[in-house]
Amino acid sequence: MRFLRFDDGGIPRFGRLDGGLVTPLDAAPWAGGRDAGERRPFETLALLPPVPAGGKVLCIGRNYFAHAKELGNEVPAEPLVFLKPSTSLLSHGGTVLLPPESERVDFEGELALVIGRRARRVGPKAYADVVFGVTPALDITARDLQKKDGQWWRAKGFDTFCPCGPVVECGLDASDLALRTYLDGELKQDGRTSRMIFGLPALVSWVSQAMTLEPGDLLLTGTPEGVGPLAPGQHLELEIEGLPRLSVRVAKEP
Ligand code: MG
């Protein structure tokens, strides 16, 4: 099943997508949202990021061997975790803004998990209970600032640096999905989620040892090799097998 969020005259709402029709829900799907008794054509909706602002956006760094290597980094012995602010979320169809502080902003295509249940200090076996679904996400990164700052809050945290969506897919086995990133239609990343160093159940368990996971939190699970820079005017797309493509534009921040 597929879920999304949309702007209904200034009010954010959740919906379930069936074919080309959206059924608005009276609450988040992970909170038991029920059919609100309407149908809307998908193409008429102004989409929002599939999770609301205010939650956590947890990210895993260097979780694919070939990507750690391409940036000259060691493979981590434990999952390398960082956070993006939820103000970095951007909806499908939005525009990534390149900030004037950076001369090198990279794309990183990633599978993101959407948390559906509160969880603290759970084991890997709790994965299916805790994870509501998956969505494509881009971990946009100011590479020069990542090196310069030491802390990654700014390099990973600018507004628009976390495009995600358009939908959250439930009931999909995400352990071995193709993940492809395209820049102006040219294939840049071509990985599989099965090539992660730390698998999905281990990641959920690991982050829950430190902080409570809450419904609507996102967990980006790392990027395969092939990352590269963005330029104004480009069209960036992420395709994860079994899910609709995430598509955004790139522009200079005015
Ligand atoms: Mg990343």
Side-chain angles (χ1 to χ4, degrees), residues 11 17 91 154 159 163 180 197 200 205 207 219 241 245:
I11 298 166
L17 178 64
S91 55
R154 181 165 68 146
D159 287 4
R180 297 188 182 95
I197 296 167
L200 302 173
S205 174
V207 294
L219 174 58
E241 189 180 354
R245 271 191 194 194

Side-chain angles (χ1 to χ4, degrees), residues 60-61 82 108 110 139 156 222-223:
I60 308 298
F82 60 95
E108 298 185 358
E110 310 200 2
D139 174 19
K156 301 278 193 178
T223 196

Side-chain angles (χ1 to χ4, degrees), residues 1-118:
M1 255 195 292
R2 290 177 171 179
F3 297 94
L4 50 74
R5 278 172 78 241
F6 65 97
D7 183 328
D8 191 10
I11 298 166
R13 298 184 75 183
F14 289 92
R16 188 182 67 230
L17 178 64
D18 304 291
L21 278 183
V22 173
T23 301
L25 304 175
D26 62 3
W30 45 82
R34 287 167 307 179
D35 186 339
E38 304 165 56
R39 299 292 178 270
R40 307 270 186 98
F42 172 75
E43 66 275 9
T44 64
L45 298 182
L47 292 183
L48 294 171
V51 296
K56 293 187 284 300
V57 181
L58 287 148
C59 306
I60 308 298
R62 299 169 195 164
N63 198 27
Y64 289 78
F65 289 102
H67 170 63
K69 222 169 97 182
E70 76 180 340
L71 295 182
N73 292 308
E74 295 293 316
V75 170
E78 295 175 335
L80 173 63
V81 187
F82 60 95
L83 287 143
K84 281 162 125 46
S86 73
T87 43
S88 65
L89 293 173
L90 178 71
S91 55
H92 169 75
T95 302
V96 172
L97 297 176
L98 307 177
E101 291 82 0
S102 175
E103 287 175 4
R104 165 84 189 226
V105 176
D106 281 5
F107 59 85
E108 298 185 358
E110 310 200 2
L111 174 82
L113 307 178
V114 178
I115 302 300
R117 191 185 274 195
R118 275 176 78 89

Side-chain angles (χ1 to χ4, degrees), residues 96 98 105-107 140 183 228-232 234 236 250:
V96 172
L98 307 177
V105 176
D106 281 5
F107 59 85
I140 306 294
L183 196 54
L230 294 169
Q234 286 181 321
L236 176 62
V250 182

Side-chain angles (χ1 to χ4, degrees), residues 216-230:
D217 285 351
L218 272 185
L219 174 58
L220 278 65
T221 57
T223 196
E225 70 275 23
V227 302
L230 294 169

